[in-house]
Each structure stands twice: as structure tokens, then as C-alpha cells.
Amino acid sequence: AIDLGLRSNLTFEDLKLLGFAAMYHDHGFLYEKNNNEKLGAEFFIDRFKNSADFSELELKRVVNMILDTEIDTQTSKPLSINRDSLSAILQDADLYNLGSQSFFDWSERLQRELNIDLDIFLNNQLKFVLMHEFKTPVGEEKYRSTKNQNIEQLKKKIGLEC
């Protein structure tokens, strides 16, 4: 997230907020797979609500970014309209693995974690990746090429012609 923020020429303050949103957005996964964004936001608020490190507005911005990372796995789209101008950067960072060299390592771990039949998983993964779009020009520029390579490799694994 910070790398994308730097490439987007964010201010120090915005980088700080983005960084904290990135740190806490998946924190809820430690306790619950579903509704983890809400839990991550609650952990962040509980930790910093009485801190001089964040104003009330900054707390709200971080919470909104965290909540905006929740996606519909059927459509690969966010479940809400972004509530913060930095949310798109966090969303791109959250799904960077779709456009990374480690895509298949992540996919394999996810398939094992979810305990889903490999053929079903790969077909669902392909649908998800094909529907997904990076939200920022910086994310698109950084990840598009490798994402396209991953799509082609995924098609080959499934047995589809490229």
C-alpha cells in the first residue's frame, strides 16, 4: 500500500493513514473469515480512539478505508462505494497478488485453506481474476502485465486454449 501511495505522490499524512488502514484491514481474519473488515476496523478504533495520534476525522478515514476493502467474491467488486479518496489505493494493494509473481503460491494456499476441489477453485479463481479491475492508474500500471500472464497460466492449468 505504501509503495502505491508513494507512486501516487501522497502526502505524509495520507501515507500514514493508508499505512494504518493496510495494517488493520485484514486483522479480523485472525478471528473470523467473514466480516473481517468490520473486525479490523473495530480493532483499529479500540487501539487508537483515545490516542493523540489520530484526530476523529483521521480515525473515520482509516475505518472507511478498511471497510471499503470488503468485496463481493462473485463479482470481484467492492461491496460499497468508496467512502475515502485513498480506498482505491488500499484495494489495489489488497489484491496485488493477482498481478504478482506469487499469484499461484497464494492461490494454492487459499485453495488448501478453503478446502475446495482444485478444479472448482481454479475455475472460480479465473472468473474472479477476469472480473477484477485495478482501481488506480498506478495499480493498473504496476500489476496489469503480470496479471495478464497469470490469467494465461491459469487458463492453461484449467485446460482452456489461450
Side-chain angles (χ1 to χ4, degrees):
I2 297 299
D3 179 52
L4 293 178
L6 288 168
R7 291 171 186 249
S8 299
N9 298 314
L10 296 184
T11 65
F12 175 79
E13 285 304 312
D14 280 347
L15 284 170
K16 173 185 138 181
L17 300 179
L18 180 65
F20 274 94
M23 283 191 296
Y24 279 87
H25 89 278
D26 275 343
H27 191 77
F29 266 125
L30 297 172
Y31 305 94
E32 186 177 324
K33 289 180 186 172
N34 298 322
N35 206 25
N36 66 79
E37 292 83 4
K38 184 178 180 204
L39 283 174
E42 289 171 0
F43 284 123
F44 174 76
I45 288 293
D46 287 347
R47 170 64 180 88
F48 291 103
K49 65 184 171 193
N50 296 319
S51 168
D53 296 325
F54 295 95
S55 69
E56 192 169 319
L57 175 62
E58 290 172 327
L59 288 171
K60 183 175 180 161
R61 289 189 69 195
V62 171
V63 165
N64 285 339
M65 280 186 269
I66 293 169
L67 295 175
D68 287 345
T69 61
E70 185 174 14
I71 58 170
D72 180 336
T73 57
Q74 298 302 311
T75 65
S76 183
K77 305 291 183 213
L79 286 179
S80 66
I81 295 172
N82 287 347
R83 293 166 267 213
D84 192 90
S85 60
L86 302 180
S87 292
I89 296 171
L90 183 59
Q91 290 164 345
D92 282 356
D94 188 29
L95 293 177
Y96 85 94
N97 62 305
L98 302 181
S100 76
Q101 296 293 330
S102 61
F103 171 74
F104 289 99
D105 293 334
W106 281 97
S107 293
E108 185 179 311
R109 283 192 291 259
L110 181 60
Q111 184 263 332
R112 282 195 316 258
E113 178 183 326
L114 297 175
N115 196 29
I116 296 174
D117 175 79
L118 182 60
D119 290 335
I120 293 170
F121 178 81
L122 291 175
N123 280 288
N124 288 339
Q125 187 79 329
L126 179 61
K127 288 177 194 170
F128 182 84
V129 176
L130 287 171
M131 285 188 283
H132 171 267
E133 297 174 358
F134 286 106
K135 310 292 184 252
T136 64
V138 170
E140 180 70 18
E141 178 185 320
K142 183 171 182 182
Y143 301 120
R144 177 186 55 237
S145 177
T146 305
K147 178 185 168 187
N148 289 338
Q149 292 170 13
N150 290 339
I151 288 170
E152 295 308 313
Q153 288 180 22
L154 191 52
K155 286 178 179 179
K156 286 178 184 175
K157 282 181 179 266
I158 293 171
L160 300 175
E161 293 297 319
C162 295

